[in-house]
Structures are given as C-alpha cells and as structure tokens.
Amino acid sequence: MLEIGAIVWGVTDIARAVEFWSQALHYRLKYPASEDWAVLIPEEGPGVQLSLSLVSSPKPRRHHLDLFTHDQAAEVKRLLSLGATRKEWRYPPDADYAVLQDPDGNPFCVVQRAE
C-alpha cells in the first residue's frame, strides 16, 4: 500500500513560500528551513507534508493543489490578502472552484465542498 507522505512544491523564494503556505494552510516549519529546502507540516493533527524546493526556472510547474473548503468566498478573499492572485481561467457554468496562483505563480484551486 502506498500513501502520500509529502507534496514537493517548486518555488523561487523559500522564505516567501514558507510565509505564504504556512498562513494559507495553517502549517508550520517541521525544522528550520535552509536556503533551498523547507518542510511544512500541519500546526495541529495529521496531514500531508508540504516540502518546498528551490528551483531556478521562473515558470510555474505542472502541478497544482486542490484545497477544499466549506466557505470558498471567504477563503479566496483570505488567500488573496496573503499574496495569492487570481489566475485567468475559463470556468464552466457550474464551476465549484476558483483558480489562484501563489506568489511564485504556481496555480492552485479553492474548491467549494458540497454541503
């Protein structure tokens, strides 16, 4: 049996990514970050580890996170206030997600959970 132990996220600025993703996900550093690597874990309880890896390419990677919430509008507003930006996207009429970008331009989705 396999399970996801960590997601590795390519970023161009470790400190900025640690600040954004820690606040966005309510995560904390597992141990002190280095110049090219940081590991974030949930502040409380279990969860998937987010590893931040320094990359030199300015282009976003071909990956994204889907973040699920019961209040999409509030979370999108909060993430925008932390430094996320809206990504231009053609949404289907029944879209239950919003596409944002982290400060490095990596896309991620905020998905409304079904009630």
Side-chain angles (χ1 to χ4, degrees), residues 42-99:
E43 288 176 355
E44 296 180 18
V48 174
Q49 176 176 294
L50 180 63
S51 301
L52 304 169
S53 176
L54 186 66
V55 296
S56 58
S57 171
K59 295 182 180 181
R61 291 357 106 217
R62 288 187 174 176
H63 61 248
H64 76 272
L65 297 174
D66 284 346
L67 306 176
F68 289 71
T69 180
H70 290 288
D71 190 348
Q72 181 190 54
E75 287 298 331
V76 167
K77 183 177 179 181
R78 185 180 73 84
L79 293 163
L80 292 171
S81 77
L82 295 175
T85 56
R86 290 187 184 272
K87 181 166 176 61
E88 205 171 299
W89 200 261
R90 286 173 47 190
Y91 293 95
D94 59 346
D96 63 349
Y97 61 93
V99 183

Side-chain angles (χ1 to χ4, degrees), residues 3-72:
E3 64 182 46
I4 295 173
I7 294 169
V8 179
W9 198 252
V11 300
T12 58
D13 185 323
I14 293 290
R16 180 177 65 186
V18 165
E19 182 178 349
F20 177 80
W21 287 111
S22 292
Q23 291 180 49
L25 300 174
H26 301 288
Y27 271 40
R28 64 176 175 81
L29 282 168
K30 185 173 183 178
Y31 43 77
S34 69
E35 290 181 15
D36 62 354
W37 185 256
V39 176
L40 300 176
I41 58 173
E43 288 176 355
E44 296 180 18
V48 174
Q49 176 176 294
L50 180 63
S51 301
L52 304 169
S53 176
L54 186 66
V55 296
S56 58
S57 171
K59 295 182 180 181
R61 291 357 106 217
R62 288 187 174 176
H63 61 248
H64 76 272
L65 297 174
D66 284 346
L67 306 176
F68 289 71
T69 180
H70 290 288
D71 190 348
Q72 181 190 54

